[in-house]
Amino acid sequence: MPALQLSPAQRKSHRADAHHLDPVVMIGSDGLTPAVLKETNTALNAHGLIKLRVLSDDREGREQLLADLAERLDAAPIQHIGKLLVLWRPLPPKEKVEREDRKPGPKVVKILKFSKSGNHRAQVKKLTVLGNQRLTAGGIVKRAKKRVTGSKKAGS
């Protein structure tokens, strides 16, 4: 997979966003092991923009490491400053799971109250009806009744 190509403005924006980040992956003397690749991939999936710390003193080796990581993980190399590397990859879309046991949420309901004489305008009132409430025909909000527990359970 080729590394992502970014414009200089996009790279500058990501560099600014990464300024306050702490390194999430440390690369030791063994270099790119499968464990390092897996952790870097996991961090990119979770955060999108990450910092890595390389413990090697070889500058050319660190530059090659950044290019190799970007190539293998389909990410964009953002910055190499000292022993810190910054990578970015767009976050994957999250799946929205619909729960079947989910209860209804609050609703805003408009209630019209007409005047008895008919000479005045109807009054509009907005009410928030929660999931455990219902609206009667007269415009009154009824709540669910509390469960009655026995006296034996209340004492223990």
Side-chain angles (χ1 to χ4, degrees), residues 47-115:
H47 304 291
L49 182 68
I50 62 168
K51 266 188 188 176
L52 300 101
R53 182 174 298 278
V54 182
L55 301 178
S56 169
D57 290 330
D58 181 26
R59 180 167 177 76
E60 288 80 26
R62 289 192 304 263
E63 287 177 0
Q64 182 59 36
L65 192 66
L66 179 62
D68 197 21
L69 270 170
E71 185 75 24
R72 285 190 187 183
L73 297 176
D74 193 26
I78 300 297
Q79 187 177 25
H80 170 211
I81 183 162
K83 294 186 177 186
L84 292 176
L85 310 176
V86 180
L87 283 175
W88 176 80
R89 183 170 66 190
L91 289 172
K94 299 207 175 185
E95 297 177 14
K96 193 164 189 176
V97 179
E98 289 292 328
R99 290 183 16 206
E100 294 177 14
D101 61 338
R102 186 175 170 169
K103 306 251 186 315
K107 295 183 280 187
V108 177
V109 180
K110 288 183 185 177
I111 298 176
L112 289 174
K113 288 211 173 185
F114 296 100
S115 68

Coordinates of all heavy atoms in Angstrom, one line a residue, residues 47-115:
H47 N -6.8 6.5 17.1 CA -6.6 8.0 17.2 C -6.4 8.7 15.9 O -6.7 9.9 15.8 CB -5.3 8.2 18.1 CG -5.4 7.6 19.4 ND1 -6.2 8.0 20.4 CD2 -4.7 6.5 19.9 CE1 -6.1 7.2 21.5 NE2 -5.1 6.3 21.2
G48 N -5.9 8.1 14.9 CA -5.7 8.7 13.6 C -4.4 9.5 13.5 O -3.6 9.3 12.5
L49 N -4.0 10.2 14.5 CA -2.7 11.0 14.6 C -2.0 10.5 15.8 O -2.4 10.6 16.9 CB -3.1 12.5 14.6 CG -1.9 13.4 14.6 CD1 -1.2 13.4 13.3 CD2 -2.3 14.8 15.0
I50 N -0.7 10.0 15.6 CA 0.0 9.5 16.7 C 1.5 9.9 16.6 O 2.0 10.3 15.5 CB 0.0 7.9 16.7 CG1 0.6 7.3 15.5 CG2 -1.4 7.4 17.0 CD1 0.8 5.8 15.6
K51 N 2.1 9.9 17.8 CA 3.6 10.1 17.9 C 4.2 8.8 18.2 O 3.7 8.0 19.0 CB 3.9 11.1 19.0 CG 4.0 12.5 18.5 CD 4.5 13.4 19.6 CE 4.4 14.9 19.2 NZ 4.8 15.7 20.3
L52 N 5.4 8.6 17.7 CA 6.2 7.4 18.0 C 7.6 7.9 18.5 O 8.1 8.9 17.9 CB 6.4 6.5 16.8 CG 5.1 6.0 16.1 CD1 4.8 6.8 14.9 CD2 5.4 4.5 15.8
R53 N 8.2 7.2 19.4 CA 9.5 7.5 19.9 C 10.5 6.4 19.4 O 10.2 5.2 19.6 CB 9.6 7.6 21.4 CG 11.0 8.0 21.9 CD 11.0 8.3 23.3 NE 10.2 9.4 23.7 CZ 10.6 10.7 23.7 NH1 11.7 11.0 23.2 NH2 9.8 11.6 24.1
V54 N 11.6 6.8 18.8 CA 12.6 5.8 18.3 C 13.8 6.0 19.2 O 14.3 7.1 19.4 CB 12.9 6.1 16.8 CG1 13.9 5.0 16.3 CG2 11.7 6.1 16.0
L55 N 14.3 4.8 19.7 CA 15.4 4.9 20.7 C 16.8 4.8 20.0 O 17.8 4.8 20.6 CB 15.3 3.8 21.7 CG 14.0 3.8 22.5 CD1 13.9 2.7 23.5 CD2 13.9 5.2 23.3
S56 N 16.8 4.8 18.6 CA 18.0 4.7 17.9 C 18.6 6.1 17.7 O 18.0 7.1 17.6 CB 17.7 4.1 16.5 OG 18.8 4.2 15.7
D57 N 20.0 6.1 17.6 CA 20.7 7.4 17.4 C 20.9 7.7 15.9 O 21.4 8.7 15.6 CB 22.0 7.3 18.1 CG 21.8 7.4 19.6 OD1 20.8 8.0 20.1 OD2 22.7 6.8 20.4
D58 N 20.6 6.7 15.0 CA 20.9 6.9 13.6 C 19.8 7.7 12.9 O 18.7 7.2 12.8 CB 21.0 5.5 13.0 CG 21.4 5.5 11.5 OD1 21.9 6.5 11.1 OD2 21.0 4.5 10.8
R59 N 20.1 8.9 12.5 CA 19.1 9.8 11.8 C 18.6 9.2 10.5 O 17.4 9.2 10.3 CB 19.7 11.2 11.6 CG 18.7 12.1 10.9 CD 19.1 13.5 11.0 NE 18.2 14.4 10.3 CZ 17.0 14.8 10.8 NH1 16.6 14.4 11.9 NH2 16.2 15.6 10.1
E60 N 19.5 8.7 9.7 CA 19.0 8.1 8.4 C 18.2 6.9 8.6 O 17.2 6.6 7.9 CB 20.2 7.8 7.5 CG 21.0 8.9 6.9 CD 21.9 9.6 7.9 OE1 22.4 8.9 8.8 OE2 22.2 10.8 7.8
G61 N 18.5 6.1 9.7 CA 17.7 4.9 10.0 C 16.3 5.3 10.5 O 15.3 4.7 10.1
R62 N 16.2 6.4 11.2 CA 14.9 6.9 11.6 C 14.1 7.4 10.5 O 12.9 7.2 10.4 CB 15.0 8.0 12.7 CG 15.5 7.5 14.0 CD 15.4 8.6 15.1 NE 16.0 9.8 14.8 CZ 17.2 10.2 15.2 NH1 18.0 9.4 15.9 NH2 17.7 11.4 14.9
E63 N 14.7 8.1 9.5 CA 14.0 8.6 8.3 C 13.5 7.4 7.5 O 12.4 7.4 7.0 CB 14.9 9.5 7.5 CG 15.2 10.8 8.1 CD 16.1 11.6 7.3 OE1 16.6 11.2 6.2 OE2 16.4 12.8 7.7
Q64 N 14.3 6.4 7.4 CA 13.9 5.2 6.6 C 12.8 4.4 7.4 O 11.9 3.9 6.8 CB 15.1 4.2 6.5 CG 14.8 2.9 5.7 CD 14.3 3.2 4.3 OE1 14.7 4.2 3.6 NE2 13.4 2.4 3.8
L65 N 12.8 4.4 8.7 CA 11.8 3.8 9.5 C 10.5 4.5 9.3 O 9.4 3.9 9.2 CB 12.2 3.9 11.0 CG 11.5 3.1 12.0 CD1 11.7 1.6 11.7 CD2 11.9 3.4 13.4
L66 N 10.5 5.9 9.3 CA 9.3 6.6 9.1 C 8.7 6.3 7.7 O 7.5 6.1 7.6 CB 9.5 8.1 9.2 CG 8.4 9.1 9.0 CD1 7.3 8.8 10.0 CD2 8.8 10.5 9.0
A67 N 9.5 6.3 6.7 CA 9.0 6.0 5.3 C 8.5 4.6 5.2 O 7.4 4.3 4.6 CB 10.1 6.2 4.3
D68 N 9.1 3.6 5.9 CA 8.7 2.2 5.9 C 7.4 2.1 6.6 O 6.5 1.4 6.2 CB 9.8 1.4 6.5 CG 9.6 -0.1 6.2 OD1 8.9 -0.4 5.2 OD2 10.2 -1.0 6.9
L69 N 7.2 2.7 7.8 CA 6.0 2.7 8.5 C 4.8 3.2 7.7 O 3.7 2.7 7.6 CB 6.1 3.4 9.8 CG 6.6 2.6 11.1 CD1 6.9 3.6 12.2 CD2 5.6 1.6 11.5
A70 N 5.1 4.4 7.1 CA 4.0 5.0 6.3 C 3.6 4.1 5.1 O 2.4 4.0 4.8 CB 4.5 6.4 5.8
E71 N 4.6 3.5 4.5 CA 4.3 2.6 3.4 C 3.5 1.4 3.8 O 2.5 1.0 3.2 CB 5.7 2.2 2.7 CG 5.5 1.4 1.5 CD 5.1 2.2 0.3 OE1 5.4 3.4 0.3 OE2 4.5 1.6 -0.6
R72 N 4.0 0.7 4.9 CA 3.3 -0.5 5.3 C 1.9 -0.3 5.9 O 1.0 -1.2 5.7 CB 4.2 -1.2 6.3 CG 5.4 -1.9 5.8 CD 6.0 -2.7 6.9 NE 7.2 -3.3 6.5 CZ 7.9 -4.1 7.3 NH1 7.5 -4.5 8.4 NH2 9.1 -4.6 6.8
L73 N 1.7 0.8 6.6 CA 0.4 1.0 7.2 C -0.5 2.0 6.5 O -1.6 2.3 7.0 CB 0.7 1.6 8.6 CG 1.5 0.7 9.6 CD1 1.8 1.4 10.9 CD2 0.7 -0.6 9.8
D74 N -0.2 2.3 5.3 CA -1.0 3.2 4.4 C -1.3 4.5 5.2 O -2.4 4.9 5.3 CB -2.3 2.5 4.0 CG -3.0 3.3 2.9 OD1 -2.3 4.0 2.2 OD2 -4.2 3.2 2.8
A75 N -0.2 5.1 5.7 CA -0.4 6.4 6.5 C 0.4 7.5 5.9 O 1.2 7.2 4.9 CB 0.1 6.1 8.0
A76 N 0.3 8.7 6.4 CA 1.0 9.8 5.8 C 2.1 10.2 6.9 O 1.8 10.4 8.0 CB 0.1 11.0 5.6
P77 N 3.4 10.3 6.4 CA 4.4 10.8 7.4 C 4.2 12.3 7.5 O 4.2 13.1 6.6 CB 5.7 10.5 6.7 CG 5.3 10.4 5.2 CD 3.9 9.9 5.2
I78 N 4.1 12.7 8.8 CA 3.8 14.1 9.1 C 5.1 14.9 9.5 O 5.4 15.9 8.9 CB 2.7 14.3 10.2 CG1 1.4 13.6 9.8 CG2 2.5 15.8 10.5 CD1 0.8 14.2 8.6
Q79 N 5.8 14.3 10.4 CA 7.0 15.0 10.9 C 8.0 14.0 11.5 O 7.7 13.0 12.0 CB 6.5 16.0 12.0 CG 7.6 16.9 12.6 CD 7.0 17.8 13.6 OE1 6.0 17.5 14.3 NE2 7.6 19.0 13.7
H80 N 9.3 14.4 11.4 CA 10.4 13.7 12.0 C 11.2 14.8 12.7 O 11.9 15.5 12.0 CB 11.2 12.9 10.9 CG 12.4 12.4 11.5 ND1 13.5 12.2 10.7 CD2 12.8 11.9 12.7 CE1 14.5 11.7 11.4 NE2 14.1 11.5 12.6
I81 N 11.1 14.8 14.0 CA 11.9 15.8 14.7 C 12.6 15.1 15.8 O 12.0 14.6 16.7 CB 11.1 17.0 15.1 CG1 11.9 18.1 15.8 CG2 9.9 16.6 16.0 CD1 11.2 19.4 15.9
G82 N 13.9 15.1 15.8 CA 14.7 14.4 16.8 C 14.4 12.9 16.7 O 14.5 12.3 15.7
K83 N 14.0 12.3 17.9 CA 13.7 10.9 17.9 C 12.2 10.7 17.9 O 11.7 9.6 18.2 CB 14.3 10.3 19.2 CG 15.8 10.3 19.2 CD 16.4 9.6 20.3 CE 17.9 9.5 20.3 NZ 18.5 8.7 21.3
L84 N 11.4 11.7 17.6 CA 10.0 11.6 17.5 C 9.5 11.6 16.1 O 10.0 12.3 15.2 CB 9.3 12.8 18.2 CG 9.5 12.8 19.7 CD1 8.8 14.1 20.3 CD2 8.9 11.6 20.4
L85 N 8.6 10.6 15.8 CA 8.0 10.5 14.5 C 6.5 10.7 14.6 O 5.9 10.3 15.6 CB 8.2 9.1 13.9 CG 9.6 8.6 13.9 CD1 9.6 7.2 13.3 CD2 10.5 9.5 13.0
V86 N 5.9 11.4 13.7 CA 4.4 11.6 13.7 C 3.8 11.0 12.4 O 4.3 11.3 11.3 CB 4.1 13.1 13.8 CG1 2.6 13.3 13.8 CG2 4.7 13.8 15.0
L87 N 2.8 10.2 12.6 CA 2.1 9.6 11.5 C 0.6 9.9 11.6 O 0.0 10.1 12.7 CB 2.2 8.0 11.6 CG 3.5 7.4 11.1 CD1 3.4 5.9 11.4 CD2 3.7 7.6 9.7
W88 N -0.1 10.0 10.4 CA -1.5 10.3 10.4 C -2.1 9.4 9.4 O -1.6 9.1 8.3 CB -1.8 11.7 10.0 CG -3.2 12.0 9.8 CD1 -4.1 12.3 10.8 CD2 -4.0 12.0 8.6 NE1 -5.4 12.5 10.2 CE2 -5.3 12.3 8.9 CE3 -3.6 11.8 7.2 CZ2 -6.3 12.5 7.9 CZ3 -4.6 12.0 6.3 CH2 -5.9 12.3 6.6
R89 N -3.3 8.9 9.7 CA -4.2 8.1 8.8 C -5.6 8.5 9.1 O -6.0 8.6 10.3 CB -3.9 6.6 9.0 CG -4.7 5.8 8.0 CD -4.3 4.3 8.0 NE -4.6 3.7 9.3 CZ -4.1 2.5 9.7 NH1 -3.3 1.8 8.9 NH2 -4.4 2.0 10.9
P90 N -6.5 8.6 8.1 CA -7.9 9.0 8.5 C -8.5 7.8 9.3 O -8.2 6.7 9.1 CB -8.6 9.1 7.1 CG -7.6 8.7 6.1 CD -6.2 8.6 6.7
L91 N -9.4 8.2 10.2 CA -10.0 7.2 11.0 C -11.0 6.4 10.2 O -11.7 7.0 9.4 CB -10.8 7.9 12.2 CG -9.9 8.6 13.3 CD1 -10.7 9.4 14.2 CD2 -9.2 7.5 14.0
P92 N -11.1 5.1 10.5 CA -12.1 4.3 9.7 C -13.5 4.6 10.2 O -13.7 5.0 11.4 CB -11.7 2.9 10.1 CG -10.9 3.0 11.4 CD -10.3 4.3 11.3
P93 N -14.5 4.5 9.4 CA -15.9 4.8 9.9 C -16.3 3.8 10.9 O -16.0 2.6 10.8 CB -16.7 4.7 8.6 CG -15.9 3.9 7.6 CD -14.5 4.1 8.0
K94 N -17.0 4.3 11.9 CA -17.4 3.5 13.0 C -18.8 2.9 12.7 O -19.6 3.6 12.2 CB -17.5 4.2 14.3 CG -16.1 4.8 14.7 CD -16.0 4.9 16.2 CE -14.6 5.3 16.5 NZ -14.3 5.4 17.9
E95 N -19.0 1.6 13.1 CA -20.2 1.0 12.9 C -21.2 1.4 14.0 O -20.8 1.4 15.2 CB -20.1 -0.5 12.9 CG -19.2 -1.1 11.8 CD -19.1 -2.6 12.0 OE1 -19.8 -3.2 12.8 OE2 -18.2 -3.1 11.3
K96 N -22.4 1.8 13.6 CA -23.4 2.2 14.6 C -24.3 1.0 14.9 O -24.9 0.5 14.0 CB -24.2 3.3 14.1 CG -25.1 4.0 15.2 CD -25.6 5.3 14.8 CE -26.2 6.0 16.0 NZ -26.6 7.3 15.7
V97 N -24.2 0.5 16.1 CA -25.0 -0.7 16.4 C -26.3 -0.3 17.1 O -26.3 0.5 18.0 CB -24.1 -1.6 17.4 CG1 -24.9 -2.8 17.8 CG2 -22.8 -1.9 16.9
E98 N -27.4 -0.8 16.5 CA -28.7 -0.6 17.0 C -29.0 -1.6 18.1 O -28.9 -2.8 17.8 CB -29.8 -0.6 16.0 CG -29.7 0.5 15.0 CD -30.1 1.8 15.7 OE1 -31.0 1.8 16.6 OE2 -29.6 2.9 15.3
R99 N -29.3 -1.2 19.3 CA -29.6 -2.1 20.4 C -31.1 -2.4 20.4 O -31.9 -1.5 20.2 CB -29.2 -1.5 21.7 CG -27.7 -1.4 21.9 CD -27.3 -0.9 23.2 NE -28.4 -0.9 24.2 CZ -28.4 0.0 25.3 NH1 -27.5 0.9 25.4 NH2 -29.4 -0.1 26.1
E100 N -31.4 -3.6 20.5 CA -32.8 -4.0 20.5 C -33.5 -3.7 21.9 O -34.7 -3.5 21.9 CB -33.0 -5.5 20.2 CG -32.6 -5.8 18.8 CD -32.6 -7.3 18.5 OE1 -33.2 -8.0 19.3 OE2 -32.0 -7.7 17.5
D101 N -32.7 -3.7 23.0 CA -33.3 -3.5 24.3 C -33.4 -2.0 24.6 O -33.7 -1.6 25.7 CB -32.5 -4.2 25.3 CG -31.1 -3.7 25.4 OD1 -30.6 -3.1 24.4 OD2 -30.4 -3.9 26.5
R102 N -33.1 -1.1 23.6 CA -33.1 0.3 23.9 C -34.5 0.8 24.1 O -35.5 0.5 23.4 CB -32.5 1.0 22.7 CG -32.3 2.5 22.9 CD -31.5 3.0 21.8 NE -31.6 4.5 21.9 CZ -30.9 5.3 21.3 NH1 -30.1 4.9 20.3 NH2 -31.0 6.6 21.5
K103 N -34.6 1.7 25.1 CA -35.9 2.3 25.4 C -36.1 3.6 24.6 O -35.1 4.2 24.1 CB -36.0 2.6 26.9 CG -35.7 1.4 27.7 CD -36.9 1.0 28.4 CE -36.8 -0.1 29.4 NZ -36.2 -1.2 29.5
P104 N -37.3 4.1 24.4 CA -37.5 5.4 23.7 C -36.9 6.6 24.4 O -37.0 6.6 25.6 CB -39.0 5.5 23.5 CG -39.6 4.6 24.5 CD -38.6 3.5 24.8
G105 N -36.4 7.5 23.7 CA -35.8 8.7 24.3 C -36.8 9.8 24.4 O -38.0 9.7 24.2
P106 N -36.4 11.0 24.9 CA -37.3 12.1 25.2 C -37.8 12.7 23.8 O -37.1 12.7 22.9 CB -36.5 13.1 25.9 CG -35.1 12.7 25.7 CD -35.1 11.3 25.4
K107 N -39.1 13.1 23.9 CA -39.7 13.8 22.7 C -40.2 15.1 23.1 O -40.7 15.3 24.2 CB -40.9 12.9 22.2 CG -40.5 11.6 21.7 CD -41.7 10.9 21.1 CE -42.5 10.2 22.3 NZ -43.6 9.4 21.9
V108 N -40.2 16.1 22.2 CA -40.8 17.4 22.5 C -42.2 17.4 21.8 O -42.3 17.1 20.6 CB -39.9 18.5 21.9 CG1 -40.6 19.9 22.1 CG2 -38.6 18.5 22.6
V109 N -43.2 17.7 22.6 CA -44.6 17.6 22.1 C -45.2 19.0 22.3 O -45.0 19.6 23.3 CB -45.4 16.5 23.0 CG1 -46.8 16.5 22.5 CG2 -44.7 15.2 22.9
K110 N -46.0 19.4 21.3 CA -46.7 20.7 21.4 C -48.1 20.4 21.8 O -48.8 19.5 21.3 CB -46.7 21.4 20.0 CG -45.4 22.0 19.6 CD -45.6 22.7 18.3 CE -44.3 23.2 17.8 NZ -44.5 23.9 16.5
I111 N -48.6 21.1 22.8 CA -50.0 21.0 23.3 C -50.7 22.3 23.0 O -50.3 23.4 23.3 CB -50.0 20.7 24.8 CG1 -49.3 19.4 25.1 CG2 -51.4 20.7 25.3 CD1 -49.2 19.1 26.5
L112 N -51.9 22.2 22.3 CA -52.8 23.3 22.1 C -53.9 23.3 23.1 O -54.6 22.4 23.2 CB -53.3 23.3 20.7 CG -52.4 23.5 19.5 CD1 -53.1 23.2 18.2 CD2 -51.9 24.9 19.5
K113 N -54.1 24.5 23.8 CA -55.2 24.6 24.7 C -56.1 25.8 24.1 O -55.6 26.9 24.0 CB -54.7 25.0 26.1 CG -54.1 23.8 26.8 CD -54.3 23.9 28.2 CE -53.8 22.6 28.8 NZ -54.0 22.5 30.2
F114 N -57.3 25.4 23.8 CA -58.2 26.4 23.2 C -58.9 27.1 24.3 O -59.2 26.5 25.4 CB -59.2 25.7 22.2 CG -58.5 25.1 21.0 CD1 -58.2 23.7 21.0 CD2 -58.1 25.9 20.0 CE1 -57.6 23.2 19.9 CE2 -57.5 25.3 18.9 CZ -57.3 23.9 18.9
S115 N -59.3 28.4 24.1 CA -60.1 29.1 25.1 C -61.5 28.6 25.1 O -62.0 28.2 24.1 CB -60.0 30.6 24.8 OG -60.8 30.9 23.6

